[in-house]
Amino acid sequence: MASPEPPFPDAPPPPPCPDAPAALPCIPGALPALEAQATLPGHVTEEILLRLPTAADLARASMAGPALRRIIANHTFLRRFRTLHPPPLLGILSDPFFPAQPPHPSAAAAGTLAGTDFSCSFLPSREQRWRRCDFRDGRALLCIDTDGGAMVRDVAVCDPLHRRYLLLPPVPQGLPDLVHHLDPFLAPASADEGADTAAGAPLRFKVMCLAQYHTRLVLHVYSSSGPHAGQWRTVTFDGWAALLAGVSVHVRSSVAFGKRYYAHGCFCWPICAINKLLLLDTATTEFSSVDLPPDLMNHQVAFVEATEGRLGMFALSQVPTHLVPRLRYSILVRTGDDPGRWEKKKVVTLSHDYCYQIIGVAGGYLLLYLVTDNPDSFPPGKVPDPGCFSLNLRTMDLERFSRNRDILPLLGQLYSGFPRYLTPPTI
């Protein structure tokens, strides 16, 4: 058989190298000799490690030798890795913590969080109990409510994995108006958080609190850095009155915000009483709104990041047991000055043997809680286990997430993060 032509036929053959060592025999499964491995500069090795696709791959690389382990354990490297790779969904914070269970791909990483004090019992004691309001980027937000939850007194940002906390000043609240809705939450870490990565440098974060008064909608913002660091500033939504224009007094009194979601730099709240979706741009702290489809009665909705920076919506039908429940997926399409329309993309048919509820969205998954709706329809000993299934937002495949029965779907908060050994302190 003729040998293949060289890639550059006109190039002269390389000169012989009499001092070159003889080639080692190729033995299947054998590791290359240490002498044959090229030593790369540290910054090149770091760039290669940053391109590993998952935290599991990074953990395996850290076991290859002390040099790689030192790079991977460095807090600066870990912060850069977290910025480039979205953290996976590991469990549900529902007192106690419900981790992902095998065979779910997140189960191994979730197992490293066993024994973590997610209730943050290390916080200073108060007359009233601390309530966990939100969890994001490794930080938990806890508050103490007063006046039946209409006001917030003490606010704390905690790092449960490293048992650290920071007490914030009280949230400014106007006394003349009663608060109809109060929603304290954490804003995502800024994209440049990894820029200030000196050892011991404080990490940036924001806390926001959306307050609905009788006649106005106000956002209180606390920043850990920048010109307003360490203090609250207030932003008023000037379009709130216009949004409610034409709505009867009776309907106004029943205006309620749905569950908060985050997608592409914006928080969003469905307001079904007026068929609107309220959007908050976290970069500019500006509000806007879009119309929701008119046929969402008796549906649960969740909002996700669609491709090309667009907003996606899942609508879960709440139907009688003799009908097949469906999970409808649509995206918001905007062109020019068009405020946008919802274009249906896919319908996921669910088993009619279950009742479903949406827990939330995190780590590339939509998490569904399900219970057996009609156990008598199954043979004895064959009743399916209740628990949670995760819908992979990329493939639209359902996977068993856990078999826990004691989850409160509407109260549970999703935990997305990395294994403990890949999580540096966030406070």
Side-chain angles (χ1 to χ4, degrees):
M1 178 183 295
S3 59
E5 292 188 6
F8 303 101
D10 298 332
C17 183
D19 298 329
L24 297 176
C26 182
I27 303 175
L31 294 175
L34 292 177
E35 295 80 9
Q37 297 183 25
T39 302
L40 297 175
H43 69 280
V44 176
T45 303
E46 181 173 329
E47 293 299 322
I48 294 173
L49 292 172
L50 285 172
R51 284 159 174 77
L52 292 177
T54 68
D57 296 323
L58 195 63
R60 284 189 287 269
S62 69
M63 301 172 63
L68 293 182
R69 193 154 48 244
R70 279 193 298 270
I71 293 175
I72 293 171
N74 184 274
H75 289 179
T76 301
F77 173 84
L78 290 176
R79 292 173 192 170
R80 291 186 65 196
F81 187 85
R82 290 174 62 91
T83 301
L84 294 173
H85 302 273
L89 174 63
L90 300 186
I92 307 168
L93 300 171
S94 186
D95 297 323
F97 175 67
F98 294 112
Q101 297 175 346
H104 197 274
S106 298
T112 68
L113 303 176
T116 301
D117 183 7
F118 286 111
S119 65
C120 301
S121 61
F122 48 84
L123 279 170
S125 60
R126 295 288 190 269
E127 294 178 1
Q128 295 171 282
R129 291 184 58 186
W130 290 97
R131 174 176 65 91
R132 187 177 57 243
C133 301
D134 198 15
F135 191 96
R136 188 180 296 276
D137 296 328
R139 305 179 184 98
L141 177 67
L142 290 93
C143 302
I144 291 181
D145 300 332
T146 59
D147 297 336
M151 306 285 279
V152 169
R153 188 181 68 187
D154 298 297
V155 182
V157 178
C158 302
D159 181 340
L161 293 185
H162 299 89
R163 299 180 65 84
R164 299 182 179 186
Y165 68 90
L166 178 65
L167 297 178
L168 306 188
V171 180
Q173 289 155 95
L175 297 179
D177 297 307
L178 293 177
V179 177
H180 283 248
H181 172 85
L182 191 68
D183 185 13
F185 56 97
L186 286 159
S190 59
D192 61 344
E193 182 178 277
D196 298 335
T197 52
L203 296 182
R204 305 172 184 176
F205 65 88
K206 284 184 180 180
V207 177
M208 297 182 174
C209 185
L210 184 67
Q212 177 195 353
Y213 295 85
H214 280 304
T215 58
R216 57 201 174 104
L217 192 67
V218 172
L219 180 72
H220 303 291
V221 183
Y222 176 94
S223 300
S224 65
S225 61
H228 302 284
Q231 56 184 308
W232 292 94
R233 62 186 180 94
T234 300
V235 179
T236 301
F237 177 32
D238 295 330
W240 182 242
L243 198 63
L244 297 180
V247 177
S248 67
V249 176
H250 173 71
V251 173
R252 286 194 186 195
S253 63
S254 63
V255 167
F257 287 71
K259 192 167 186 175
R260 168 180 25 87
Y261 288 92
Y262 176 80
H264 294 308
C266 289
F267 284 103
C268 50
W269 295 262
I271 311 176
C272 295
I274 57 176
N275 214 42
K276 296 286 186 179
L277 181 68
L278 182 68
L279 301 171
L280 168 65
D281 188 319
T282 58
T284 63
T285 61
E286 294 180 352
F287 288 95
S288 61
S289 66
V290 296
D291 292 333
L292 288 173
D295 59 345
L296 291 181
M297 184 67 68
N298 298 321
H299 283 71
Q300 265 190 293
V301 292
F303 298 89
V304 301
E305 294 184 343
T307 57
E308 300 178 358
R310 295 179 294 185
L311 184 65
M313 178 181 65
F314 283 95
L316 173 63
S317 60
Q318 306 290 327
V319 296
T321 56
H322 64 275
L323 297 177
V324 178
R326 298 183 308 162
L327 192 61
R328 186 180 70 203
Y329 178 58
S330 307
I331 61 170
L332 182 63
V333 179
R334 288 172 167 170
T335 55
D337 297 331
D338 183 4
R341 58 184 177 82
W342 295 95
E343 182 179 293
K344 185 169 68 176
K345 288 295 184 180
K346 188 176 180 62
V347 174
V348 180
T349 301
L350 306 173
S351 171
H352 67 277
D353 299 322
Y354 293 96
C355 285
Y356 299 83
Q357 285 184 290
I358 294 175
I359 297 181
V361 176
Y365 291 97
L366 172 76
L367 201 61
L368 295 171
Y369 177 75
L370 57 157
V371 294
T372 304
D373 186 59
N374 186 16
D376 295 334
S377 64
F378 295 90
K382 300 294 185 180
V383 179
D385 291 332
C388 295
F389 276 78
S390 60
L391 179 71
N392 189 310
L393 298 180
R394 183 176 57 84
T395 64
M396 294 294 178
D397 292 331
L398 276 173
E399 302 172 286
R400 167 73 74 171
F401 188 79
S402 75
R403 286 182 165 82
N404 294 300
R405 299 168 179 263
D406 301 324
I407 299 170
L408 298 176
L410 299 181
L411 299 179
Q413 296 166 342
L414 302 189
Y415 180 100
S416 59
F418 291 101
R420 184 188 296 270
Y421 50 83
L422 294 180
T423 306
T426 59
I427 296 177

